[in-house]
Amino acid sequence: MMKIRSIVAATAIVISSFALVPQAQAETFGWSSAPLTNLDPAGATINGGFTKFPTKAGMYIQQCIAPVGTARPATCSDTLQLWVSGSGTPGTVSPTGGIAMKVAGTITGKGVTVDCTKVQCGLFFRLDHTAPTDFSEDKFFPITFREGAAAPVLAADEITVTLNGKALVRNVPSNLAYRAEAKIVATAKSGVTVSLTSLTPDCSYANGVLTALKGAGQCALAYSTTASATTAAASGNFPFILTPGVQKIALKSLAIAKGKSKALPAESNFGSTVAYKSNSKNCKVELNLVEIKGPCTLTATAPAKQDMWSALKSTIKVTIK
């Protein structure tokens, strides 16, 4: 990590680099770092820090090839990247103080290997997964490497993580409802074990199940692997937007003998007290007991809980047994 005085001293170097990049967006963040040129292709560290940081979201810093026009870079390193956020979430880097960004003369992303001594590479800044469609902070800072041998590059592993059988996309948010069934399966093409960890306290992960503990906010599931003899280590995260849980009762229809009564579920799946109302005189309801004289329909309701689950309103068809 670099001291603040070192960051300020490096500003002149960065300003000269800024001039090389067309400014298509009016970004609000400020960044100062060094060195950006004549880097060791076998591996180097760029020391820097933010002089201003966006207030609407965190940021990703990635080593990527130069973007074309206003599009985002086609190839970014699967491993040489940082997630910067003031949230204090595990796995993030604080935007205050020094930041050390590792770079290399060769990068591999999505199975594509790029020689950054022959292709223009650099640091690409973008808002994180909490603002996936906001390109306003996109910015590319070119870096160069001196002649020399790059460190041997192992093949990139292919990591697949599914949620209830549907493949997740790294850095692209998926919805996850409070207490919904969420079975996670993670595999690596190399065959190594994939480690999974919840990065946020509003979700828990254990025994292949991801559980949202709230019905509002965000979570992130991190994955990581160790390197094998032929495959590089891999890491990343999958973000989730938390949504209210679906409140329900496990009853859609009911058959009762004429003149008899039967108990209905007193609570919903989230423990809320359920109120019942008959839509005709054929059924009489007291609390959660229903007595039938003829076919009828009941309405079941239960209140919502803010930031947890939605209100319940369902119908139950009652027939004579």
Side-chain angles (χ1 to χ4, degrees):
M1 293 295 176
M2 131 184 218
K3 294 181 179 178
I4 296 300
R5 67 173 67 94
S6 300
I7 296 174
V8 174
T11 302
I13 297 174
V14 179
I15 290 174
S16 65
S17 297
F18 287 179
L20 300 175
V21 187
Q23 298 305 304
Q25 306 287 353
E27 75 284 339
T28 64
F29 78 90
W31 171 263
S32 176
S33 62
L36 297 177
T37 59
N38 202 37
L39 298 168
D40 184 352
T45 299
I46 295 174
N47 293 301
F50 286 94
T51 56
K52 290 190 299 181
F53 195 75
T55 57
K56 53 187 170 184
M59 296 196 77
Y60 292 133
I61 309 174
Q62 303 167 285
Q63 184 179 345
C64 305
I65 65 171
V68 177
T70 58
R72 284 179 167 171
T75 302
C76 293
S77 171
D78 287 331
T79 56
L80 300 173
Q81 52 184 289
L82 296 175
W83 178 15
V84 185
S85 172
S87 66
T89 298
T92 63
V93 176
S94 172
T96 60
I99 295 175
M101 175 72 187
K102 294 184 181 297
V103 295
T106 304
I107 61 172
T108 300
K110 296 181 180 179
V112 177
T113 299
V114 176
D115 184 348
C116 290
T117 65
K118 299 177 181 178
V119 175
Q120 179 64 73
C121 295
L123 302 185
F124 182 66
F125 291 69
R126 52 165 286 193
L127 291 175
D128 67 10
H129 59 270
T130 61
T133 60
D134 191 336
F135 287 49
S136 63
E137 301 292 342
D138 285 13
K139 193 165 185 175
F140 179 78
F141 299 148
I143 60 177
T144 61
F145 294 87
R146 64 175 178 266
E147 291 185 4
V153 177
L154 294 173
D157 209 347
E158 294 182 25
I159 310 300
T160 302
V161 180
T162 62
L163 170 66
N164 295 332
K166 182 180 179 180
L168 298 173
V169 180
R170 192 178 68 180
N171 297 339
V172 177
S174 300
N175 288 338
L176 182 65
Y178 172 76
R179 298 288 181 182
E181 181 176 305
K183 294 181 179 179
I184 301 292
V185 176
T187 57
K189 187 176 181 179
S190 66
V192 301
T193 300
V194 181
S195 297
L196 297 170
T197 307
S198 175
L199 295 177
T200 44
D202 291 341
C203 285
S204 65
Y205 175 79
N207 301 319
V209 176
L210 179 66
T211 304
L213 306 178
K214 289 184 64 177
Q218 298 170 349
C219 281
L221 181 68
Y223 70 86
S224 63
T225 66
T226 56
S228 67
T230 58
T231 308
S235 63
N237 75 81
F238 297 102
F240 294 89
I241 304 299
L242 303 185
T243 60
V246 179
Q247 190 170 203
K248 56 188 177 181
I249 55 173
L251 187 64
K252 296 293 184 183
S253 62
L254 187 64
I256 309 175
K258 189 173 182 180
K260 298 293 183 178
S261 63
K262 194 165 186 177
L264 302 168
E267 296 182 342
S268 72
N269 57 323
F270 296 136
S272 295
T273 300
V274 180
Y276 295 93
K277 181 180 180 181
S278 175
N279 296 331
S280 75
K281 295 182 178 180
N282 285 338
C283 291
K284 180 181 179 182
V285 180
E286 292 186 6
L287 296 178
N288 68 317
L289 290 174
V290 58
E291 183 178 335
I292 184 173
K293 296 180 180 179
C296 69
T297 300
L298 305 179
T299 299
T301 59
K305 185 173 182 180
Q306 186 175 1
D307 295 338
M308 300 296 274
W309 56 77
S310 57
L312 166 69
K313 186 174 183 180
S314 64
T315 58
I316 303 169
K317 185 178 181 181
V318 183
T319 57
I320 297 176
K321 191 174 182 179

